[in-house]
Amino acid sequence: MPATHSTLWDEILETVESRQPDLNRGWFPALQISGINHGTLTIRAANVAQYQYLESRCVDAFSEAAQEKTGRLLSVAFEIVPSESNPISQPFAFPEPNPAFTLDRFATGPCNRFAHAAISAFTQKENASYRSIYLHGPAGTGKTHLLHAAANVIRAASPTANVPCLQADFFASTFIRSMERDELSVFRSTIDDLEFLLLDDIEKLANRPLAQEEIFRAFNAAHSAGRPILITGHAAPTELTGLEERLRTRLSSCFVVAIDPPCHETRVLILRNLALRNGFELENDAATILAESSDLSAPELEHLLACADRWSNACGGLITAKLARSISSRPSIIDLPTANNILHGVAREYRLSADSIRETESKSKNKEPRAVAIYLTARLTDANSTEISRLFGSRTDAFIRRTIESTEERLRTDLSFRNKVTDLVADLATISQSKAQPTV
């Protein structure tokens, strides 16, 4: 430790010991100042136990003493001396951005258009006003999508750019692991080498004071070095509970951008974009009807559309308005039917009993409903041909396969039959969202 640092440390120790003697520990004189950079005075501890004590109890006391003795507005951070028995040669590896999250795949509407524009501006070096952004909104509004999209834009312009997307809980767990392994200096070096500081879901650091202190240090270092900062959270800075006041103040100093849950217009755009991207076939009004399921987030809309697509696969692949209406009537419960649901639904449609459809005796009036029930059971459940055979009177596997193939062929060539099966599937969707049929 340089002589000037040694003298400063002695003065800081003397101030802390005189003002807050209950904090004093016998190993304090062995602590060292490792440096003063970007407004942060870093104090080096010998082990994790010392570090945790200093982090949990001494930050404010040492910061006040350091500010008094230097006449500068310094913050204090702590680190651990790397272990000689465990040399460190590699920096920490952080997760790469998801390439599926891009700005052009983000459906914009009145609720999120400004947030999309702000993130787009964030990726442009000439926009100094957007160099630090705090983006907040409820879960499912697209914050993670926009954070990864920003990283992907930066990567596209500079393929070697070091811009990982950090989840707050991953940041915290990696930080703690670095202390346990005496690798804190390498962890900090890796964080400070990032060209952009991108952190998702900062509310997950609530009631984790050590991790909060570390992200506070990283924020200050990035800000002092002029590196762009993008942080997301579920609430405005003043409404984040469990976070220290000074960290909330730092977030408030960013360009704060709110993103609201998708409105109806945006939900329609999300559904149409998802359908186009995944090759789903939507009837004209189907997206509008599905979007009427209010308060659904983008991931929930994607799940809703995927379920609608699986239902539609049983009747030619078209998501009709009627099917959409059946599914959206109870969007929180969109399970596929059981074999018994299907059997009773088909029986109701054809005004027959379930037993008459299952019986082995061949009757012309039962042939079509039996074929439809077998086909829908194969397409909408996980039952294999042997299980379906048992349900329908122990018929042979070959019979079940021929029935499925002939029904598929008829769906392709007989429009009237296809419409009938399509309506039946929509009715089954309504039934399965309400009350399951009894086991038969």
Side-chain angles (χ1 to χ4, degrees):
M1 181 166 58
T4 53
H5 284 178
S6 178
T7 302
L8 174 60
W9 179 238
D10 289 340
E11 293 175 352
I12 291 173
L13 268 186
E14 182 181 353
T15 301
V16 171
E17 290 172 0
S18 63
R19 293 182 179 175
Q20 300 192 48
D22 58 313
L23 293 179
N24 188 42
R25 293 295 183 269
W27 41 266
F28 273 11
L31 300 173
Q32 295 183 343
I33 296 176
S34 62
I36 303 176
N37 296 296
H38 307 304
T40 300
L41 182 149
T42 304
I43 299 170
R44 179 169 290 177
N47 53 52
V48 173
Q50 290 182 7
Y51 177 90
Q52 291 178 333
Y53 176 82
L54 292 167
E55 279 280 358
S56 62
R57 299 193 58 185
C58 302
V59 172
D60 291 338
F62 278 92
S63 295
E64 291 171 4
Q67 291 171 12
E68 179 179 324
K69 295 304 176 182
T70 62
R72 298 167 59 188
L73 192 61
L74 294 175
S75 62
V76 166
F78 302 100
E79 64 179 15
I80 302 173
V81 180
S83 170
E84 293 182 0
S85 62
N86 185 27
I88 304 161
S89 58
Q90 297 295 328
F92 285 81
F94 293 134
E96 295 295 304
N98 186 336
F101 292 149
T102 62
L103 286 177
D104 61 345
R105 285 185 174 181
F106 188 82
T108 57
C111 57
N112 59 21
R113 189 171 288 116
F114 182 72
H116 180 274
I119 298 305
S120 180
F122 172 81
T123 65
Q124 309 302 316
K125 292 182 178 180
E126 61 271 15
N127 288 310
S129 300
Y130 297 92
R131 302 315 278 161
S132 60
I133 291 179
Y134 176 66
L135 176 64
H136 70 90
T141 49
K143 302 185 301 296
T144 297
H145 185 133
L146 288 174
L147 183 118
H148 284 253
N152 285 320
V153 171
I154 296 162
R155 277 283 179 82
S158 179
T160 60
N162 188 11
V163 283
C165 295
L166 304 177
Q167 274 284 339
D169 48 3
F170 175 85
F171 175 91
S173 62
T174 307
F175 163 63
I176 295 299
R177 188 169 70 251
S178 76
M179 290 194 298
E180 293 171 345
R181 297 179 179 180
D182 291 339
E183 298 176 355
L184 183 59
S185 60
V186 175
F187 173 82
R188 285 180 168 169
S189 175
T190 305
I191 290 291
D192 292 344
D193 283 343
L194 300 179
E195 296 174 47
F196 289 69
L197 179 60
L198 307 180
L199 184 78
D200 202 14
D201 296 329
I202 196 170
E203 71 275 3
K204 293 182 179 178
L205 299 185
N207 303 314
R208 302 170 82 169
L210 299 184
Q212 288 182 41
E213 173 65 27
E214 187 58 25
I215 197 62
F216 181 80
R217 184 208 66 79
F219 184 106
N220 287 342
H223 187 270
S224 297
R227 290 183 282 119
I229 300 167
L230 173 58
I231 297 176
T232 76
H234 77 302
T238 56
E239 298 172 3
L240 290 169
T241 59
L243 296 188
E244 295 179 0
E245 174 64 27
R246 59 179 181 165
L247 181 54
R248 286 188 280 121
T249 300
R250 283 289 187 274
L251 296 176
S252 296
S253 70
C254 297
F255 185 74
V256 179
V257 179
I259 183 169
D260 297 322
C263 60
H264 181 266
E265 174 187 332
T266 307
R267 292 198 297 272
V268 171
L269 288 172
I270 290 171
L271 288 165
R272 286 177 176 163
N273 285 351
L274 287 170
L276 182 64
R277 190 183 315 157
N278 293 288
F280 298 161
E281 189 179 0
L282 281 171
E283 205 170 63
N284 287 340
D285 295 333
T288 301
I289 293 168
L290 288 172
E292 290 171 356
S293 304
S294 60
D295 300 327
L296 289 185
S297 66
E300 289 168 335
L301 286 169
E302 184 168 11
H303 179 59
L304 183 70
L305 186 62
C307 288
D309 178 65
R310 185 170 177 189
W311 278 96
S312 73
N313 284 336
C315 51
L318 176 66
I319 302 174
T320 65
K322 183 175 180 179
L323 176 59
R325 191 172 291 108
S326 298
I327 291 175
S328 63
S329 62
R330 295 189 69 193
S332 62
I333 308 173
I334 44 182
D335 297 325
L336 289 167
T338 66
N340 288 302
N341 288 146
I342 293 171
L343 181 59
H344 282 271
V346 172
R348 185 181 299 105
E349 173 68 21
Y350 285 89
R351 298 183 180 181
L352 297 170
S353 68
D355 287 340
S356 67
I357 295 176
R358 295 173 60 186
E359 65 185 16
T360 56
E361 184 181 351
S362 179
K363 295 180 180 178
S364 59
K365 69 174 183 178
N366 296 347
K367 185 176 180 181
E368 180 177 302
R370 183 183 298 115
V372 171
I374 289 172
Y375 171 77
L376 293 180
T377 301
R379 290 291 172 261
L380 293 176
T381 75
D382 294 326
N384 58 38
S385 58
T386 301
E387 293 167 334
I388 297 172
S389 175
R390 283 198 298 268
L391 181 63
F392 290 92
S394 298
R395 297 174 184 275
T396 65
D397 287 1
F399 173 84
I400 298 298
R401 288 194 294 272
R402 285 197 305 273
T403 299
I404 293 170
E405 291 170 0
S406 63
T407 304
E408 284 181 334
E409 177 62 24
R410 189 177 174 191
L411 283 169
R412 286 192 292 269
T413 60
D414 186 336
L415 180 59
S416 176
F417 178 67
R418 175 176 172 175
N419 289 339
K420 186 174 186 177
V421 174
T422 298
D423 287 345
L424 175 56
V425 168
D427 291 337
L428 285 171
T430 302
I431 293 169
S432 86
Q433 308 323 320
S434 54
K435 184 177 181 180
Q437 296 293 334
T439 302
V440 293

